[in-house]
């Protein structure tokens, strides 16, 4: 009976104890203050909800009129304001009027001494906040290398041992090859980056492609008026290279725009030695491959504009372009063939004269509409093109034992054009402890690849249609998703389901073949996070993903490196299905992530040697299966107020199963450690004079039938500001001990080859950046946007 009375007493409070109250915010001149942040706190001083005032300076809250509440109001132009109310003070009130006082002094844009990056574990991602940190003076590529949970090995980005990573910028897909992506990020200043999000189990809102998502969040304009920067970066490795970047931002009331342009130039070297042992003939083929490429005209353009039509509607337009009209190189590769007595019996020399051109364009339009205080709509249209051309003229001078000297020549012209269009509509609803997200997406991809081949087999250089190839590919994707989040006092729960229907068609001209497929896949996700009273945080998540083959992997045409080595794709490649399972634990900046990954039909590049033709072939194919499990550990230690230590360790066991050239099933497995330890010193707080010394160490890994050897890098970074912090200087010494090279080996049955690879990482760089225009915080009008934009 007592319980029944208690329930009857509580129910009226739950249903009738809520009231709406209007908040009005003005300044001392009785002018309304729009876009001020109004936060509502409970009696326990915990944040209940927050809103931004509309153009009339108003915001509406639902409160429990029987409880004590506190309002906190913040705005960049005014002093922070807070006030608490009990039930009697708000009982009969329908409006509360708060008056803000002007800040007495302008606040410099950068007043916080650069500190260590902040790592925050959210329910579905790890957020690495680098804004105003001691690594923000680096470029975006170097920042990725220092992000917890991210490993960059041989310029390949890996997360938890998987290279099937989708890189996005502001949740927009980057339509670039790995080399082009690296170039773009190297020309992106770290000062423009707010945070890097490592999303190992992306929610249902994200497309299901890729094992994980690495999202780079760029800063939004914060200054009223105009701000500009001019920076230059010089790098000296084996050869010199550099870039000049200028960036301009303007914001006034409801309108903001940003324009940046970067021009890079330099010579790039990749040193390697390729060794193949043929046990059938007892010969060893050794090639020294020092490959130098020159690219003296790299152009990157970024443009974005935002307009707030009213307090409920916002539009944004974004463009990114990369134009590299000519990359050229002349590779001179000598090869020695020794017999069982280690005596040179044959030689050949290959000259590869080549040049390439790259043009990439990405355009997106987004509209956000707030339907009411609880729900909103986002509509995104996305269009991208990737045009790539490469010409090669390969000459080979052969001097084989028991044969007359011979000259061979062939030439190729490779053209690739990719077009992608996507449109997506998202709906978001949030009230109290619940949040719902749902949406639908349509995308179309068209790619055309043309390979023209000519050789001198019949005397002069002649076109060979039977060795040429035309590959056309179309892919349609229809998707719909829904997810629900529940926030309780100690628990956070989130579950979602995404459905994707894919229809594809690939047509190969030589030999003629048509590959069609249509399939529907479901991708569930689930997350749970529990936080104890003493701030121990436990998390669990599961996600199913798919990794579709890159378009170039589907082209079966042979792309020759020389007479005895070529690359080819497979039009019948299967998509890889990936299951991710994660357990996380966090306490006092300790971050633990235990994970398991299972891959069905993994697709990757493997190599094999053919003893009948003495050729080494690189082939994209599906191996039998793959799985991995491990743990990531990250911790920041504050030793002194001027000294900090960052430790990131990743221990993993990885297994790949593949069928060898002899038809037998093989297992390639390894325990690997990836370690990144760095220490940072603040030498002078007034001038943001900082120094960081670090080392990364990698014990090795596996990829199909390949085993990747160990490597390490030691680096030092120093940055400082001058002239009232308008001039910034940064020094960067990378791979100081020249230990970042590794060995990639294949060894089973009659397969015995390895490749020594070094990417000319030992370098010194200096960066100078000058800030001009408005460097002071004024009355900023913050543009509202959803927590996450659509990921393309």
């Amino acid at each position: 009976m007592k319980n029944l009375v208690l329930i009857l007493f509580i129910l009226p409070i739950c249903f009738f104890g809520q009231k709406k109250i209007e908040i009005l915010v003005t300044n001392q001149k009785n002018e309304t203050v729009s876009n001020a942040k109004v936060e509502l706190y409970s009696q326990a001083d915990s944040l209940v909800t927050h809103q931004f005032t509309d153009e009339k300076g108003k915001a509406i809250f639902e409160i429990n009129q029987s409880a004590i509440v506190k309002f906190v109001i913040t705005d960049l132009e005014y002093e922070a304001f807070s006030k608490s109310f009990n039930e009697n003070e708000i009982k009969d009130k329908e409006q509360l009027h708060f008056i803000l006082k002007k800040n007495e002094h302008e606040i410099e844009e950068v007043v916080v001494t650069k500190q260590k990056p902040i790592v925050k574990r959210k329910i579905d991602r790890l957020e690495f906040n680098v804004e105003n940190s001691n690594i923000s003076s680096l470029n975006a590529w170097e920042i990725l290398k220092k992000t917890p949970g991210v490993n960059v090995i041989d310029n390949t980005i890996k997360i938890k041992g998987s290279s099937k990573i989708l890189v996005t910028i502001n949740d927009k897909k980057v339509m670039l090859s790995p080399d082009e992506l690296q170039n773009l990020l190297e020309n992106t200043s770290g000062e423009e980056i707010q945070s890097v999000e490592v999303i190992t189990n992306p929610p249902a809102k994200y497309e299901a492609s890729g094992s994980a998502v690495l999202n780079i969040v760029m800063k939004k304009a914060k200054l009223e008026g105009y701000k500009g920067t001019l920076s230059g970066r010089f790098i000296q490795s084996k050869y010199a290279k550099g870039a000049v970047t200028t960036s301009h931002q303007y914001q006034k009331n409801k309108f903001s725009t940003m324009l940046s342009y970067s021009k890079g130039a330099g010579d790039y070297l990749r040193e390697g030695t390729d060794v193949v042992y043929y046990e059938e003939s007892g010969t060893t083929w050794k090639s020294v491959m020092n490959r130098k490429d020159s690219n003296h005209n790299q152009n990157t353009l970024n443009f974005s504009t935002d307009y707030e039509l009213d307090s409920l509607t916002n539009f944004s337009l974004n463009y990114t372009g990369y134009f590299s009209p000519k990359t050229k190189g002349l590779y001179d590769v000598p090869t020695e063939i020794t017999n069982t007595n280690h005596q040179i019996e044959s030689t050949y020399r290959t000259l590869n004269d080549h040049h390439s051109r790259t043009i990439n364009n990405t355009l997106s339009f987004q509209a956000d509409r707030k339907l009411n205080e609880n729900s909103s709509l986002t509509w995104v249209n996305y269009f991208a093109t990737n045009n790539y051309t490469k010409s090669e003229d390969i000459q080979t001078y052969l001097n084989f034992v028991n044969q007359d000297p011979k000259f061979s020549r062939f030439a190729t012209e490779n053209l690739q054009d990719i077009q992608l269009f996507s449109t997506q509509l998202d709906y978001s609803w949030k009230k109290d402890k619940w949040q719902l997200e749902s949406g639908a997406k349509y995308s179309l991809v068209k790619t055309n690849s043309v390979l023209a081949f000519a050789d001198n087999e019949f005397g002069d250089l002649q076109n060979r249609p039977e060795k040429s190839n035309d590959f056309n590919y179309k892919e349609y994707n229809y998707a719909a998703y829904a997810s629900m989040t529940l926030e309780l006092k100690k628990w956070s729960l989130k579950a979602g389901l995404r459905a994707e229907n894919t229809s594809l068609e690939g047509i190969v001209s030589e030999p003629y073949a048509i590959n069609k497929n249509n399939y529907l896949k479901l991708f569930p996700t689930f997350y749970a996070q529990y936080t104890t009273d003493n701030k121990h945080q436990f998390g669990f998540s599961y996600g199913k993903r798919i990794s579709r083959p890159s378009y170039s992997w589907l082209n079966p045409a042979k792309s020759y490196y020389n007479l005895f080595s070529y690359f080819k794709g497979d039009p019948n490649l299967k998509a890889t299905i990936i299951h991710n399972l994660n357990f996380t634990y966090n306490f006092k900046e300790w971050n633990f992530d235990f994970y398991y990954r299972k891959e069905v039909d993994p697709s990757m590049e493997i190599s094999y040697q053919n003893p009948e033709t003495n050729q080494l072939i690189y082939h994209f194919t599906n191996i039998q299966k793959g799985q991995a499990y491990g743990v990531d550990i990250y911790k920041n230690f504050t030793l002194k107020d001027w000294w900090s230590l960052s430790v990131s360790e990743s221990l993993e066991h990885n297994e790949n199963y593949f069928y060898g050239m002899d038809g037998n099933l093989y297992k390639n497995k390894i325990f690997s450690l990836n370690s990144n330890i760095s220490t940072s010193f603040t030498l002078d707080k007034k001038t943001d004079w900082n120094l960081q010394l670090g080392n990364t160490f990698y014990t090795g890994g596996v990829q199909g039938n390949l085993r990747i050897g160990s490597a390490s890098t030691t680096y030092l970074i120093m940055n400082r500001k001058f002239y009232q912090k308008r001039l910034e200087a940064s020094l960067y010494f990378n791979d100081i001990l020249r230990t970042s090279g590794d060995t990639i080996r294949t060894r089973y049955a009659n397969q015995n080859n390895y490749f020594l690879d070094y990417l000319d990482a030992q370098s010194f760089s200096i960066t100078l950046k000058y800030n001009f225009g408005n460097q002071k915080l004024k009355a900023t009008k913050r543009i509202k946007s959803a927590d996450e934009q659509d990921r393309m």
Side-chain angles (χ1 to χ4, degrees):
M1 177 63 71
K2 291 182 179 179
N3 292 336
L4 178 60
V5 173
L6 182 62
I7 292 173
L8 293 175
F9 178 75
I10 292 176
L11 278 177
I13 296 177
C14 296
F15 286 96
F16 303 106
Q18 298 288 326
K19 66 168 293 183
K20 288 187 177 181
I21 191 165
E22 182 182 79
I23 305 300
L24 173 63
V25 181
T26 65
N27 60 23
Q28 292 173 309
K29 296 180 180 179
N30 204 31
E31 298 170 337
T32 59
V33 179
S34 61
N35 280 331
K37 186 177 183 180
V38 184
E39 297 176 316
L40 173 64
Y41 287 83
S42 67
Q43 185 174 359
D45 205 29
S46 61
L47 180 64
V48 177
T49 185
H50 75 272
Q51 293 186 40
F52 290 93
T53 55
D54 60 20
E55 58 186 0
K56 297 180 180 179
K58 295 181 179 181
I60 297 177
F61 289 85
E62 281 192 359
I63 62 173
N64 188 345
Q65 59 185 5
S66 63
I68 296 176
V69 297
K70 182 175 73 172
F71 289 96
V72 176
I73 305 175
T74 54
D75 187 275
L76 293 172
E77 192 178 0
Y78 300 92
E79 294 180 1
F81 176 91
S82 66
K83 188 172 182 179
S84 299
F85 297 87
N86 60 36
E87 56 181 300
N88 293 325
E89 291 175 313
I90 60 173
K91 182 178 180 181
D92 300 321
K93 292 186 179 294
E94 296 182 355
Q95 185 188 76
L96 295 175
H97 182 191
F98 300 131
I99 301 175
L100 302 185
K101 295 181 180 180
K102 281 268 191 177
N103 279 321
E104 295 182 1
H105 305 285
E106 287 186 335
I107 304 172
E108 290 189 6
E109 180 193 7
V110 181
V111 296
V112 181
T113 301
K114 287 182 178 259
Q115 300 293 335
K116 61 187 179 183
I118 298 173
V119 177
K120 184 177 181 180
R121 172 72 66 180
K122 296 184 177 180
I123 187 174
D124 56 2
R125 69 197 63 198
L126 184 143
E127 183 182 82
F128 185 56
N129 193 324
V130 302
E131 185 176 14
N132 292 331
S133 75
N134 50 19
I135 66 170
S136 60
S137 60
L138 302 178
N139 62 55
W141 179 253
E142 295 299 332
I143 288 175
L144 284 191
K145 293 181 180 181
K146 293 161 181 58
T147 300
V150 178
N151 301 320
V152 179
I153 303 164
D154 283 340
N155 288 352
T156 299
I157 299 173
K158 291 189 176 183
I159 296 177
K160 304 193 185 307
S162 175
S163 59
K164 299 177 176 63
I165 308 303
L166 187 60
V167 178
T168 62
I169 297 177
N170 286 342
D171 283 323
K172 301 296 189 299
K173 183 176 181 178
V174 180
M175 283 280 294
L176 299 174
S177 70
D179 290 340
E180 293 164 354
L181 173 64
Q182 179 184 345
N183 188 280
L184 172 66
L185 296 180
E186 285 180 338
N187 288 290
T188 300
S189 170
E191 295 286 356
E192 300 175 15
I193 298 175
Q194 176 177 313
S195 62
V196 179
E197 296 177 338
V198 183
I199 314 173
T200 52
N201 276 332
K205 183 177 181 178
Y206 288 73
E207 68 178 46
S209 180
S211 174
V213 172
L214 189 60
N215 183 42
I216 302 172
V217 182
M218 308 300 289
K219 292 180 183 178
K220 288 184 177 292
K222 293 182 178 180
L223 300 181
E224 191 84 349
Y226 168 77
K227 174 189 175 182
T229 63
L230 178 64
S231 65
R233 180 164 53 97
F234 172 79
I235 304 172
Q236 182 64 61
S237 54
K238 182 76 172 181
Y239 301 100
K241 55 188 73 70
V244 177
T245 302
T246 181
S247 176
H248 306 272
Q249 300 177 20
Y250 177 78
Q251 181 165 326
K252 185 68 174 177
N253 297 328
K254 300 180 179 182
F255 173 79
S256 68
T257 186
M258 186 278 293
L259 175 67
S260 69
Y261 170 74
S262 175
K263 183 177 181 63
D267 296 322
Y268 304 84
L269 179 67
R270 184 168 186 172
E271 301 176 0
T273 301
D274 197 4
V275 180
V276 184
Y277 174 68
Y278 293 99
E279 63 179 34
E280 292 83 1
S281 61
T283 57
T284 301
W285 297 47
K286 181 179 180 181
S287 303
V288 178
M289 306 173 65
N290 293 332
R291 294 163 289 177
K292 176 187 175 184
D293 285 294
S294 299
N295 188 343
H296 295 164
N297 193 4
Q298 308 163 39
N299 304 273
T300 304
L301 179 66
N302 289 283
F303 170 77
S304 65
T305 183
D306 289 79
Y307 180 70
E308 189 179 82
L309 183 64
D310 52 41
S311 61
L312 303 177
T313 309
N314 189 79
F315 299 104
S316 63
L317 181 70
N318 298 273
Y319 168 80
T320 299
Y322 175 73
F323 176 58
S324 174
K326 189 171 185 179
T327 299
K328 62 180 180 178
L330 177 61
Y331 301 162
D332 188 348
V333 183
T335 301
E336 295 179 345
I337 304 171
T338 58
N339 56 27
T340 54
N341 296 322
H342 306 291
Q343 297 174 331
I344 299 175
E345 64 176 22
S346 302
T347 63
Y348 72 90
R349 180 186 175 198
T350 302
L351 296 177
N352 184 328
D353 187 6
H354 60 274
H355 62 270
S356 61
R357 183 193 68 174
T358 301
I359 302 175
N360 295 306
N361 295 284
T362 300
L363 181 67
S364 63
F365 170 77
Q366 177 170 325
D368 296 278
R369 174 69 178 179
K370 189 173 182 180
L371 303 178
N372 51 52
E373 60 180 345
N374 299 319
S375 60
S376 62
L377 278 176
T378 299
W379 181 43
V380 177
N381 294 280
Y382 179 86
F383 179 71
T385 64
N386 185 325
N387 185 275
Y388 176 76
T389 303
K390 184 174 183 179
S391 300
E392 293 184 281
D393 188 344
I394 300 174
Q395 303 177 37
T396 308
Y397 301 85
L398 301 105
N399 189 8
F400 281 14
V401 64
N402 301 324
Q403 296 182 23
D404 294 331
K406 183 180 178 182
F407 171 73
S408 176
R409 182 188 178 194
F410 66 89
T412 62
E413 184 82 15
N414 197 332
L415 309 176
Q416 180 174 273
D417 183 64
I418 301 174
Q419 297 180 2
L420 183 149
F421 169 75
S422 178
T423 183
Q424 178 159 337
L425 184 67
D426 295 294
Y427 171 77
S428 177
W429 173 86
K430 185 176 183 179
K431 186 174 183 181
D432 300 328
K433 303 173 183 178
W434 294 92
Q435 181 176 0
L436 168 69
E437 292 179 309
S438 63
K441 171 194 164 188
Y442 165 77
S443 65
L444 166 65
V445 176
K446 296 171 62 178
T447 176
N448 174 248
S449 298
V450 178
L451 175 67
F453 188 94
D455 63 23
N456 68 339
E457 184 175 342
F458 303 109
D460 297 332
L461 197 66
Q462 298 178 7
N463 292 326
R464 301 291 299 277
E466 72 278 10
K467 293 185 178 182
S468 301
N469 175 275
D470 193 348
F471 177 66
N472 288 283
Y473 178 81
K474 290 183 181 179
E475 181 179 294
Y476 303 88
N477 188 282
Y478 305 87
Y481 76 91
S483 68
M484 180 70 76
T485 304
L486 173 62
E487 296 286 348
L488 302 175
K489 184 176 181 181
K490 295 183 179 180
W491 283 94
S492 295
L493 303 172
K494 185 173 183 176
L497 181 66
R498 186 180 184 91
E500 291 192 0
N501 186 86
T502 303
S503 177
L504 60 87
E505 179 185 81
I507 302 176
V508 183
S509 65
E510 186 62 41
Y512 182 78
I514 298 179
N515 177 35
K516 293 184 178 181
N517 198 2
N518 189 297
Y519 56 89
L520 173 67
K521 298 288 185 181
L522 299 178
F523 302 96
T525 53
F526 176 76
Y527 313 84
Q529 193 175 71
Y530 177 76
T531 305
T532 66
D533 291 331
N534 51 1
K535 304 304 180 183
H536 291 270
Q537 193 176 68
F538 301 87
F540 165 80
S541 66
Y542 164 77
K544 180 183 176 183
R545 309 286 295 165
I546 187 171
S547 180
R548 299 181 178 88
S550 297
Y551 312 121
S552 59
W553 298 4
L554 299 168
N555 191 348
K558 296 178 180 179
S559 180
Y560 282 87
Y561 301 117
N562 55 53
L563 279 178
F564 300 96
S565 182
Y566 63 85
F567 157 85
K568 70 173 183 177
D570 183 355
N572 296 311
L573 268 179
K574 300 176 184 177
T576 303
I577 299 297
I578 305 163
H579 299 272
N580 291 320
L581 196 64
N582 290 77
F583 295 91
T584 60
Y585 169 70
N586 305 276
F587 180 67
K588 292 185 177 179
E589 292 192 85
W590 280 100
N591 289 268
F592 294 86
D593 190 344
F594 303 87
Y595 63 90
Y596 171 77
R597 180 182 69 255
K598 180 181 179 181
E599 297 182 347
V600 181
D601 295 322
S603 57
M604 62 187 65
E605 182 185 36
I606 65 173
S607 67
Y608 63 89
Q609 58 197 70
N610 186 342
E612 296 179 0
T613 60
N614 292 319
Q615 287 181 319
L616 183 63
I617 299 142
Y618 295 89
H619 180 41
F620 270 105
T621 186
N622 293 108
I623 64 171
Q624 186 67 11
K625 65 177 180 179
Q627 62 180 1
Y629 58 86
V631 57
D632 289 344
I633 305 172
Y634 181 80
K635 168 65 173 172
N636 258 316
F637 299 90
T638 302
L639 306 177
K640 300 286 185 180
D641 60 351
W642 50 269
W643 182 18
S644 66
L645 177 69
S646 173
V647 178
S648 178
E649 306 292 329
S650 179
L651 180 65
E652 179 183 81
H653 180 265
N654 197 357
E655 296 178 354
N656 279 185
Y657 295 80
F658 65 94
Y659 281 102
M661 300 306 297
D662 55 1
N664 294 323
L665 181 64
Y666 290 88
K667 181 165 117 174
N668 198 4
K669 64 178 182 178
I670 193 173
F671 270 104
S672 62
L673 171 69
N674 195 303
S675 173
N676 190 337
I677 300 175
S678 65
T679 184
S680 300
F681 305 90
T682 300
L683 305 179
D684 182 17
K685 292 183 179 180
K686 293 182 179 180
T687 59
D688 286 348
W689 188 5
N690 298 286
L691 184 145
Q692 184 182 66
L693 178 66
N695 175 266
T696 62
F697 176 67
Y698 177 62
T699 61
V702 296
Q703 178 180 304
N705 63 1
L706 305 176
R707 183 171 287 262
I708 303 170
S710 62
S712 67
T713 301
T714 302
Y715 59 90
L716 185 146
I717 306 165
M718 183 184 295
N719 49 70
R720 189 177 184 181
K721 291 186 176 181
F722 304 87
Y723 304 115
Q724 290 77 47
K725 299 185 178 182
R726 286 186 175 269
L727 177 64
E728 303 174 33
S730 174
L731 301 178
Y732 182 30
F733 299 87
N734 189 40
D735 195 16
I736 296 172
L737 304 178
R738 205 177 190 274
T739 53
S740 64
D742 58 19
T743 302
I744 303 171
R745 181 183 296 274
T746 300
R747 183 70 180 97
Y748 71 92
N750 68 338
Q751 301 290 301
N752 189 353
N753 60 79
Y754 67 89
F755 182 69
L756 304 176
D757 192 23
Y758 183 69
L759 297 175
D760 194 29
Q762 188 179 52
S763 63
F764 158 77
S765 69
I766 180 170
T767 302
L768 296 175
K769 178 182 177 183
Y770 182 73
N771 302 290
F772 51 91
N774 178 23
Q775 303 297 315
K776 307 280 187 179
L777 287 177
K778 301 288 186 179
T780 304
K781 305 301 180 183
R782 288 174 289 257
I783 297 177
K784 301 182 181 71
S785 63
D787 291 338
E788 293 177 342
Q789 296 176 341
D790 154 66
R791 177 199 176 281
M792 303 301 298

